[in-house]
Amino acid sequence: MQLDWPAEVHRELTAAGVRLVGYVPDAGHKRLIELCRADRKMRAVPLTTEEEGIGLASGAWLGGEKSVLLMQSSGVGNLINVLGMVSVCRFPLVMVITMRGEQGEFNPWQVPMGEASARVLETMGVAVRQAGEPQAIAAHVRLALTRAFEAQGAEAVLIAQKVIGIKSFQEQRSQ
Amino acid sequence: MSLHRRAVVKKLLEKRGDLLVVAGLGSTSWDITAAGDADLNFPTWGAMGQAAMLGLGLALAQPKRRVLVVTGDGEMLMGLGSLATIGVQQPKNLTVVVIDNERYGETGMQATHTAHGVDMAAIARACGFRNSEKILKEKDLRKIVHKIPGPNFLQVKVAAESVPLVLPPKDGIVLKERFRRALLGKSADVLAKEP
């Protein structure tokens, strides 16, 4: 049976006291979004673009609340300018990002941003943690939460596309 | 145009009580500072388009406090999607005030979309803001900021005029930490809100 990494990540968020979850949907985040939406102690906020997640997380921190942002790698490019605020104010930030444009990608339009995601994040001062196996995801998220909220850092956990395993448009739609 | 931005913002912030205030990049950050710099002000010097979302994050984290976002028409236009996001969340304690001079004031007073008739109050209403109003002349806005359940949106048309720069602290860490200390007390230095 496949490891239920979304449930593990949800447990880490709960353990860290995360109450607010901003998200731009991705098929790879489907179950984690559902777990967060079903959790009465969490508020899951759908966003129109990833940028909004940075304002949401930063405003929440001003108010003393911990949050995370769930998104896919295609949205990384939308974040570049607003990550400047995260850096200059040293806002804690945790992003859990599912990768597109990697192994098994069926849509070539997803490839350029997927290939550039880690470099773009690092260029803007975000620490990148690559989770290549389902077993590694929760541990990376736990470390990212600690680093972000105890040391006021900006952290991204990238979940490899091979973990998500979507290989065709048909499979994505039927998820 | 009869309204003047500095007078409008000064009145909004008079006897502000424990109001939490976020201001958008540029002129509105200088406006709230001209009304009196305060620890519970978060004036932004960048991240254009994020003022309303900062306000939403703050309003959700502090549901018992009133939150006011003061921003410009250019800044709000860059984050129009956030009006839809706020409309979905329905924070009762959030008011967004757009000081609308129909210009990009920091870059040479070029016309914004509102100069060409884009109706932001109508957009906010369509996004689900409980109250949304275009303000064209002198009106007491205190009740809507402090009392009326939101989300509230006010598009205040003001004169396109140059006003003196009154600058808040520039260091982002200073702005963040002074805000958190004033709001959360000493625990702000080490902890988030306890789970």
Side-chain angles (χ1 to χ4, degrees), chain A residues 24 49-51 69 71-80 95 97-98 100 110 113-114 117 121:
Chain A
V24 177
T49 170
E50 291 79 3
E51 270 186 288
L69 171 58
M71 52 182 275
Q72 66 169 273
S73 57
S74 309
V76 168
N78 295 347
L79 298 177
I80 300 173
M95 297 175 279
I97 301 172
T98 46
R100 298 294 306 267
Q110 296 281 2
M113 196 65 242
S117 287
L121 289 164

Side-chain angles (χ1 to χ4, degrees), chain A residues 5-83:
Chain A
W5 65 264
E8 286 193 345
V9 171
H10 178 258
R11 275 197 292 276
E12 295 295 341
L13 301 183
T14 300
V18 170
R19 300 266 188 89
L20 190 62
V21 178
Y23 69 91
V24 177
D26 179 46
H29 273 319
K30 189 165 187 277
R31 177 157 158 76
L32 181 53
I33 290 169
E34 284 167 359
L35 288 169
C36 294
R37 289 198 68 87
D39 186 336
R40 286 186 178 183
K41 288 186 178 154
M42 284 183 188
R43 182 153 185 155
V45 178
L47 309 166
T48 70
T49 170
E50 291 79 3
E51 270 186 288
E52 291 178 6
I54 304 300
L56 183 77
S58 303
W61 183 250
L62 285 177
E65 200 74 86
K66 294 177 183 174
S67 68
V68 297
L69 171 58
L70 311 181
M71 52 182 275
Q72 66 169 273
S73 57
S74 309
V76 168
N78 295 347
L79 298 177
I80 300 173
N81 180 51
V82 289
L83 285 175

